Amino acid sequence: MSAQATETRFRNYIGGEWVMPSGAELRPNQNPADTREVLGEFPRSSEEDVARAVEAAAEALPAWRRTSGPQRSAILTKAAEILERRAQEIGEVLTREEGKTIGEGVGEVLRGVQILRFYAGEPLRPIGENYASANPDTFLYTERVPVGVVGVITPWNFPVAIPIWKLAPCLAYGNTAVFKPAELTPLTAHLITEVFAEAGLPAGVLNLVHGPGQVVGEALARHPKVNAITFTGSNAVGRHLYQIATARGAKVQLELGGKNPVVIAEDADLAQAVEIVTSGAMRSTGQKCTATSRVIVAEPLLKEFTEALVERAKSITVGPGIDPATYMGPLVSEERRESVLRYIEIGKQEGAKLLTGGEPLTGPEHKHGFFVAPTVFADVEPTMRIAQEEIFGPVVGVIRARSLDEAIEIANGVDFGLSASIITRDIRKAFHFIRSVEAGIVHVNSETAGAEPHVPFGGMKGSSSYSREQGRAAMEFFTQTKTVYLDLPPA
């Protein structure tokens, strides 16, 4: 780790330099598994800091845009090598900062390596087309050009993977960036920025500004030199930034929430279904936009499945993520824990039956962290708030379905449409579900969470702005098309 990263007071990265913010206010960064551990103090930056970063990105844009594809590819390849070399170190920081298990933390860093390697190839691939012209002396073609300065606003739940799956294509296609990470995970953002800097990214191409979303995020959305905003986070914040940025003509990409269903068909393998639901709902403490939140079970399997799921939930080891024996870590903050506990109370008040969990954990290994027991509700009605609203915690509701068509109707009966899954041995049922469910990502016999880095990622309905991230689909957002008519001069 660099000298800067060993300090307790961290800085922004603007124009190729680590710089103090314009104000003196700093925010402590706590370990959610043990709040007695403070991982450093990070800036609560101002609009002035954002303006400085945007100017640096705008100044660096012309030279970076002209940098050849092979040169950009070489830098991203080197970044992948550095990140892979530091995977254990950064994975441990991620676990201490965000709370997920060490296996998930290191795994997320290695996923970042995969993403970088994919996008290192993009500057070497064709990104334009030739067309036949009515004029035989005209060479008619298109090329993809950078959109410009991009504001990159990322959440805390995947503090390595999501920034990299935005920054890697942003940079690969010749844009410059101002990166605003979540306030709850600033140290991993710092380390990601270090990786790009060490890889040789020119000054000003990537700028890091820490701080609250209502200041830094809004300043990015309003700044006239920010050509595009890519955002992952809550629906309320995303829609607010969308209105601000699009009002001045900026391009905006949103990836928002989910209320993801798993349909358990009556022919499903029971043990497989229980494990798929448990992993999808409880891994990462349910703090994934693709986490399983609703389990829609065919009536003949309902009793047996529910009993098995409860027993599996009770068996989960909950503790600090740094312990290799831990299956589920803490929630990321006290605010998030209180929100989850409020939803559990709402579920009870609505008439759902709490079968296990539902309370904060206060044992010796839990008393200094934000732990909640894995929670399972039964007798959940599709119209209940716990079946409609994103909880973002280790809470799953079991819903009865009398037919596959009713299960699909329930699955589609929410404002979200990110991910969905069906567990079945019947290929006809699988394809009926695939064709009927309103979700951008569909799984068959696997959990709702999980996405490979080379294919499009995104949702339908209230889960996105109808754009896609990852894979070659990212080109649509991070570039714009230029059509060229090249006429031959007279002979």
Side-chain angles (χ1 to χ4, degrees), residues 355-367:
L355 298 181
T356 188
E359 74 281 345
L361 298 177
T362 56
E365 71 275 35
H366 304 128
K367 65 181 180 178

Side-chain angles (χ1 to χ4, degrees), residues 193-217:
T193 305
E194 275 192 351
V195 166
F196 279 110
E198 185 181 343
L201 203 64
V205 173
L206 172 61
N207 305 274
L208 169 68
V209 182
H210 295 286
Q214 62 268 33
V215 177
V216 177

